Amino acid sequence: EVSWSYPNGGCWPTLLWLLTAACIKTGRPQTAKRAIEQVKQRLSKDGWPEYYDGKAGRYIGKQARKYQTWSISGYLVAKLMIENPASLSLISLEGDKKIAKPRLTRSTSF
């Protein structure tokens, strides 16, 4: 097993929607917007790979398959949530109903 490769910490594009959901829930949608913009052209150019290798997540994984539905759908769901944060309620747990109208405040970490 090689460090930072499948399945030891490679970068999985499908997880973009989870990052976006967390950013919206914590009031940091700008972080998600930046991530979506950064991967937008890269994923398309690279053929929507399954995962990336390396500590910086820059290399298409040696065993990665291209044109993966889960990579494409992760990107599309992230775009949907950032364009309409209320859509997050479609995937939230019952106890999270209060986030139907998330607070969108500027992060103090920037």
Side-chain angles (χ1 to χ4, degrees):
E1 298 281 341
V2 178
S3 296
W4 297 102
S5 68
Y6 185 97
N8 295 326
C11 177
W12 296 79
T14 189
L15 299 177
L16 182 61
W17 75 272
L18 290 170
L19 171 69
T20 301
C23 289
I24 291 170
K25 288 177 83 170
T26 59
R28 297 176 182 218
Q30 301 303 50
T31 301
K33 285 179 184 177
R34 279 199 318 271
I36 291 167
E37 281 302 312
Q38 287 178 1
V39 302
K40 178 180 176 180
Q41 304 227 353
R42 179 74 188 259
L43 286 173
S44 178
K45 182 184 99 186
D46 289 346
W48 301 94
E50 181 180 13
Y51 70 99
Y52 290 90
D53 277 344
K55 288 184 180 182
R58 295 183 187 270
Y59 308 107
I60 297 173
K62 292 178 184 177
Q63 298 179 18
R65 305 300 182 260
K66 291 193 174 185
Y67 303 102
Q68 292 295 295
T69 304
W70 59 345
S71 295
I72 296 166
S73 62
Y75 169 77
L76 292 174
V77 170
K79 289 268 304 173
L80 171 74
M81 285 192 293
I82 209 67
E83 289 169 4
N84 180 9
S87 65
L88 182 58
S89 65
L90 297 173
I91 59 163
S92 295
L93 300 174
E94 192 63 33
D96 287 341
K97 291 297 181 187
K98 63 184 176 190
I99 63 154
K101 294 182 181 175
R103 67 184 172 90
L104 300 176
T105 58
R106 184 177 174 112
S107 170
T108 58
S109 64
F110 295 114

